[in-house]
Amino acid sequence: MTVSDPVVESVVATISRSATEIRQGLIGRRGTVDEENPSGETQAEADIWADELLGDRLAAIDGVGQYASEERTEIVDCGADPSAAESYAVAVDPLDGSSNLKSNNTMGTIFGVYDAALPARGETLVAAGFVLYGPITTMVIATDETVTEYELSGGERTVVDRDVTLPAEPVVYGFGGRVPDWPVDFREYAREIESELKLRYGGALIGDVNQVLTYGGTFGYPALESRPEGKLRLQFEGNPIGYVVEQAGGRSSDGTQSLLAVDPDALHDRTPVHVGNDDLIERLEATLA
């Protein structure tokens, strides 16, 4: 599958070609640096390196008006007017799950292509997806037409599934945050789910979400007692992942509404994130209500 819009296809092609290089470049970059990202988290050397690599390449694409990253405080003006026709903003989490570098576990790259100036509602996304650096490097791309999974090798994309949809019968779940920090209503919901589904939680959002796409089920990083706004970033994680799951036939929620309907106040806004099969998200919202 080729994305019909040439600018969006250039973004997707650039990320897919860069993925093999990013994966190889993780070697020797497993340490942290004495810096924090705008969310106050310690940065890995690989976070900064992957951000610079993707930022340079994506900003050079004609038709990309803005580049924003979880690793940067400010939006990068790429020259094109982000409000003009055929001009897009690209938001990236260059290395989701980089804390897994030390233990050599799964991580990925998340991206969203917005047809609006950032920060923007998820409803303005025209494409979103992720690269998963697992045993095999794969890429999932969602557009308004379909969700497609590829294997990546040597900069080339090979189609694995042209129409990714959540299985009707859910199998797995994964919930982030410390259990004592969960609000009482979410604990009630979690107790129900854990009696029905198998736990799959690896500490990298993208790996846990891919389990849900593959087997059906739900992933959540809820509002916490210590952090009611949630942990994950709306522009870089919540919106792109919500878009992928909704386009694959599932639902997303911040606990009350679709993630794609949330109005952002700032680039690095956090949000609770819940995605999965329709009935599981409906039950979540009913319990939290």
Side-chain angles (χ1 to χ4, degrees):
M1 182 196 81
T2 300
V3 180
S4 57
D5 185 290
V7 179
V8 178
E9 169 58 24
S10 292
V11 170
V12 170
T14 297
I15 294 172
S16 66
R17 286 195 302 268
S18 301
T20 302
E21 187 174 343
I22 290 174
R23 178 165 190 153
Q24 185 64 26
L26 298 177
I27 299 171
R29 292 187 172 95
R30 296 170 70 182
T32 59
V33 296
D34 191 21
E35 295 181 37
E36 293 183 344
N37 68 17
S39 298
E41 298 165 342
T42 301
Q43 290 178 305
E45 183 182 353
D47 284 321
I48 298 171
W49 175 77
D51 172 46
E52 291 176 349
L53 185 148
L54 288 171
D56 289 347
R57 294 178 181 181
L58 293 171
I61 296 172
D62 287 339
V64 172
Q66 294 179 320
Y67 172 82
S69 161
E70 187 176 307
E71 305 305 326
R72 303 187 187 207
T73 303
E74 303 294 337
I75 297 167
V76 177
D77 181 353
C78 305
D81 181 355
S83 64
E86 299 182 357
S87 176
Y88 300 100
V90 182
V92 174
D93 181 352
L95 204 56
D96 174 69
S98 58
S99 61
N100 277 352
L101 269 169
K102 184 175 181 179
S103 58
N104 192 30
N105 286 328
T106 301
M107 62 199 70
T109 296
I110 307 173
F111 66 93
V113 184
Y114 293 84
D115 189 13
L118 297 172
R121 287 164 68 108
E123 291 167 344
T124 65
L125 283 164
V126 295
F130 60 84
V131 176
L132 179 66
Y133 307 113
I136 299 168
T137 303
T138 58
M139 185 178 203
V140 171
I141 302 167
T143 67
D144 60 359
E145 298 175 348
T146 189
V147 180
T148 305
E149 180 185 11
Y150 302 89
E151 290 179 350
L152 303 183
S153 179
E156 299 297 321
R157 281 180 272 163
T158 302
V159 174
V160 176
D161 187 345
R162 294 184 182 276
D163 187 19
V164 176
T165 54
L166 265 71
E169 296 297 325
V171 175
V172 302
Y173 79 96
F175 298 140
R178 295 178 60 249
V179 175
D181 208 11
W182 289 350
V184 172
D185 49 5
F186 184 76
R187 283 191 229 177
E188 177 185 338
Y189 173 74
R191 279 195 296 268
E192 292 181 10
I193 297 302
E194 69 185 8
S195 69
E196 302 170 18
L197 305 179
K198 298 177 181 178
L199 175 62
R200 295 286 180 89
Y201 185 77
L205 166 67
I206 212 56
D208 299 324
V209 168
N210 199 59
Q211 294 269 15
V212 172
L213 282 175
T214 304
Y215 300 112
T218 185
F219 167 82
Y221 205 112
L224 302 175
E225 295 286 358
S226 64
R227 186 179 276 175
E229 73 278 13
K231 177 188 177 184
L232 301 175
R233 270 63 49 152
L234 180 65
Q235 298 295 293
F236 308 107
E237 297 164 316
N239 280 342
I241 293 306
Y243 183 84
V244 169
V245 173
E246 290 195 17
Q247 294 304 105
R251 282 189 59 191
S252 76
S253 178
D254 68 349
T256 61
Q257 63 180 332
S258 167
L259 288 166
L260 307 186
V262 176
D263 281 315
D265 294 319
L267 181 65
H268 293 278
D269 278 359
R270 297 179 187 267
T271 181
V273 169
H274 303 276
V275 294
N277 289 71
D278 279 9
D279 62 325
L280 296 176
I281 301 302
E282 288 174 9
R283 287 167 56 188
L284 166 83
E285 291 182 343
T287 302
L288 299 187

